[in-house]
Amino acid sequence: METTLRGVGVSHGVAIGEVRHMGTAVLEPPARQIPTEEAEREQGRARQAVEAVAADLMARGNLAGGEAQAVLEAQALMAQDPELIADVDRRIAVGSTAERAVYDAFAAYRDLLAGAGEYLAGRVADLDDVRNRIVARLLGVPMPGVPDSDEPYVLVARDLAPADTALLDPTLVLGFVTEEGGPTSHSAILARALGVPAVVALPGAVELAEGTVIAVDGSTGEIFVNPGEEKKAQLEASAAERKAALASATGPGATSDGHKVPLLANIGGPADVAAALAAGAEGVGLFRTEFLFLDDSKSAPSEEKQVETYRQVLEAFPEGRVVVRVLDAGADKPLDFLTPVDEPNPALGVRGLRTLLEHPEVLRTQLSALAKAAEGLPVYLEVMAPMVADRTDAKAFADACRAAGLRAKFGAMVEIPSAALRARSVLQEVEFLSLGTNDLAQYTFAADRQVGAVSRLQDPWQPALLDLVAIAAEAARAEGKSCGVCGEAASDPMLACVLTGLGVTSLSMGAASLPYVRATLAKYTLAQCERAAAAARAADSADEARAAAQAVLSGE
């Protein structure tokens, strides 16, 4: 019997195929005592397994490139955490086997994270994946992960670790569905980068029986279980219609009446440039520079290495706009040489610009490298700071840019509600704003972007979030300056129209979303976008806002 389930659509497209479940987690190793004389050997085994898993994660990151590389390198650092390794050594010293010591040490750390607030609890899935990989290596059993199959399938899992998502084969994995996760989780972002239809936060996803045929609509978040031929035909026709619309929409972003809305790409480094160019990106709206710093958590990359990397990206967009975000370290992107290890809540502590202002030499080197990388190029370089809270932050960043001799526009990311509410004050110090809607939602609703249980509050259609976007955009308009969106909200085609109606001046997203947004934006006038924005803000929930905007845009 055909039934319909609803989760959160996070990556456009339709996938129809049989369910295949993610490989099961590693079984709990038996608890047995070892003689004291074997402790040193077991400690060596544990360390070898840890290093092998970390190396494997780094290698996967190098293969995947871009944002996936940054995520996997962060996971590799988690595997090598000195405190965890020391705990493993201690447990072995009192009689545990290597595999049992790893299992118990990670379990203790897991409990600590799970009880330390939602932000840190969001890292539990990544920690579990690292533990399972190390224990599997020690036990000599296959790694947990994507199932082997000669036929294409829809992957279903409780959650997907970044290491699995990053190297999914789109020719075999038609789409994926998870029970946990949220629209701005790492796996959701990587799914969009891969162009794989995906739905997350689907209650009861893991209860779908192996081999069941399902249809996944990554745009609406709907899952059709045992779809009939009529439903399959309907979905396939809709997919074909979308594909035709994408093919016909080319050129710069604009509404149907010619209001220009530059469409830019979010990238993690040079590896993402080709996809951005192929999708017709008019430039880069968010160059995340963290991946370069994750190569070695012990020290910052040299100025020479930074210059080389930045110049590769800048050269790819001659006379285009490239917006670089300086290092955003802290919280879920810890670096040993920068971020404190004992913060009770890193999400609300020293992260982003706060970290850089405590380590001015790191900021100075990065700004100097950007200045040298742009020398002699016709590119329009813009540099922005993450986690700006107020005018004092904005001034400190602008002063640092000028002191480094940077000839570029200086901007501030609006990720903290205070920056949106006081945007005109912030704009006295900088020349543009860029709204990071992922973190802005997180801080507005006290809802961790990695926790599926609060995904309702991470929905970028939430009217309160739209209010903050409107406040920031109006402040920029009043000051004669620009205000873009570089958060994942921009990748939703209908929401892109609403953001345009709110006064946003540019939209930046993963390359795979650019054709969808371009095609949808070209169907409506600016006035229609403004009416849709007003209708969405008048609603009381994300679902109501979405429906209200849809009604306006469809002429109902």
Side-chain angles (χ1 to χ4, degrees):
M1 182 178 69
E2 181 180 317
T3 57
T4 303
L5 307 174
R6 183 180 290 277
V8 179
V10 296
S11 186
H12 302 296
V14 171
I16 302 174
E18 292 187 1
V19 167
R20 293 286 182 274
H21 285 274
M22 177 65 74
T24 56
V26 176
L27 294 175
E28 181 177 345
R32 66 180 181 85
Q33 289 292 109
I34 60 169
T36 303
E37 59 269 20
E38 292 184 18
E40 187 174 346
R41 181 179 67 84
E42 289 295 287
Q43 288 170 342
R45 286 183 63 227
R47 289 177 180 275
Q48 287 176 0
V50 165
E51 292 304 319
V53 166
D56 178 62
L57 290 168
M58 294 288 284
R60 286 169 176 260
N62 290 333
L63 283 173
E67 293 188 34
Q69 184 173 7
V71 173
L72 294 178
E73 287 177 349
Q75 207 175 7
L77 294 177
M78 185 184 289
Q80 297 169 306
D81 183 279
E83 290 188 18
L84 266 172
I85 292 173
D87 191 17
V88 170
D89 281 346
R90 283 193 296 269
R91 292 173 187 273
I92 292 174
V94 295
S96 285
T97 61
E99 50 267 31
R100 185 70 206 193
V102 168
Y103 187 89
D104 288 341
F106 273 75
Y109 193 37
R110 186 188 199 281
D111 290 343
L112 183 66
L113 289 184
E118 289 180 353
Y119 196 94
L120 287 176
R123 298 181 66 195
V124 165
D126 288 0
L127 187 71
D128 286 348
D129 181 61
V130 172
R131 176 204 64 199
N132 291 346
R133 291 173 184 279
I134 297 171
V135 173
R137 183 170 290 275
L138 287 166
L139 291 175
V141 300
M143 289 286 176
V146 179
D148 290 328
S149 177
D150 294 328
E151 298 296 325
Y153 59 91
V154 176
L155 181 62
V156 176
R158 184 169 301 280
D159 201 358
L160 281 172
D164 296 315
T165 317
L167 296 181
L168 289 178
D169 182 352
T171 63
L172 283 177
V173 181
L174 302 172
F176 68 74
V177 179
T178 66
E179 188 161 316
E180 299 179 357
T184 58
S185 65
H186 285 144
S187 291
I189 293 171
L190 294 176
R192 286 188 284 272
L194 288 167
V196 177
V199 171
V200 301
L202 178 73
V206 295
E207 296 171 14
L208 291 167
E210 187 87 1
T212 302
V213 175
I214 63 172
V216 179
D217 190 328
S219 299
T220 66
E222 292 174 304
I223 304 293
F224 303 96
V225 182
N226 297 315
E229 293 305 316
E230 183 178 347
K231 174 58 70 175
K232 288 182 183 178
Q234 178 187 339
L235 290 169
E236 287 168 351
S238 296
E241 184 180 332
R242 288 177 195 163
K243 189 174 181 179
L246 297 182
S248 65
T250 57
T255 58
S256 63
D257 55 342
H259 175 73
K260 295 186 185 305
V261 187
L263 300 181
L264 312 170
N266 293 344
I267 68 169
D272 293 335
V273 167
L277 292 172
E282 298 169 57
V284 173
L286 173 60
F287 179 2
R288 299 180 175 98
T289 58
E290 295 79 53
F291 83 99
L292 188 56
F293 289 76
L294 289 169
D295 282 346
D296 179 3
S297 71
K298 306 295 183 186
S299 62
S302 67
E303 183 174 317
E304 293 73 23
K305 182 176 181 180
Q306 291 189 56
V307 170
E308 178 186 357
T309 302
Y310 301 149
R311 194 169 180 90
Q312 288 181 56
V313 174
L314 297 177
E315 286 177 338
F317 294 92
E319 300 186 10
R321 178 185 178 198
V322 175
V323 184
V324 178
R325 180 177 70 190
V326 294
L327 175 63
D328 184 13
D332 61 342
K333 291 168 282 189
L335 292 171
D336 291 348
F337 69 96
L338 279 184
T339 49
V341 297
D342 55 354
E343 284 190 303
N345 190 342
L348 301 180
V350 181
R351 63 168 294 198
L353 179 61
R354 299 168 187 175
T355 300
L356 293 174
L357 294 178
E358 285 201 354
H359 299 270
E361 71 287 354
V362 175
L363 177 59
R364 184 165 52 247
T365 299
Q366 185 171 25
L367 294 174
S368 175
L370 285 165
K372 292 177 180 178
E375 284 179 3
L377 297 180
V379 68
Y380 296 97
L381 175 62
E382 301 184 10
V383 182
M384 62 184 180
M387 300 298 292
V388 170
D390 56 15
R391 182 173 180 175
T392 299
D393 280 351
K395 183 179 188 304
F397 178 65
D399 287 347
C401 289
R402 283 187 283 267
L406 190 62
R407 307 181 82 177
K409 284 187 176 181
F410 317 141
M413 286 198 72
V414 177
E415 302 165 282
I416 302 173
S418 62
L421 295 169
R422 300 287 295 172
R424 289 197 72 169
S425 174
V426 170
L427 283 165
Q428 303 311 302
E429 305 294 343
V430 295
E431 299 171 83
F432 69 93
L433 300 177
S434 184
L435 289 140
T437 51
N438 307 349
D439 270 325
L440 186 57
Q442 174 168 256
Y443 290 117
T444 299
F445 297 103
D448 188 345
R449 57 192 285 191
Q450 300 294 329
V451 178
V454 294
S455 62
R456 174 182 73 83
L457 297 171
Q458 265 291 335
D459 191 325
W461 280 93
Q462 285 284 356
L465 185 66
L466 299 181
D467 287 344
L468 290 174
V469 172
I471 289 169
E474 171 56 28
R477 186 198 63 76
E479 294 294 330
K481 296 179 179 179
S482 64
C483 177
V485 168
C486 64
E488 292 300 314
S491 65
D492 179 332
M494 189 164 64
L495 185 51
C497 295
V498 167
L499 294 172
T500 298
L502 292 174
V504 166
T505 56
S506 66
L507 299 166
S508 189
M509 65 208 75
S513 298
L514 283 164
Y516 292 91
V517 172
R518 182 184 294 111
T520 304
L521 202 58
K523 291 165 58 177
Y524 305 108
T525 65
L526 176 59
Q528 285 177 299
C529 293
E530 290 172 340
R531 288 197 295 274
R537 288 184 68 192
D540 290 320
S541 72
D543 288 342
E544 289 177 11
R546 189 181 286 106
Q550 178 64 62
V552 170
L553 295 176
S554 61
E556 296 177 6

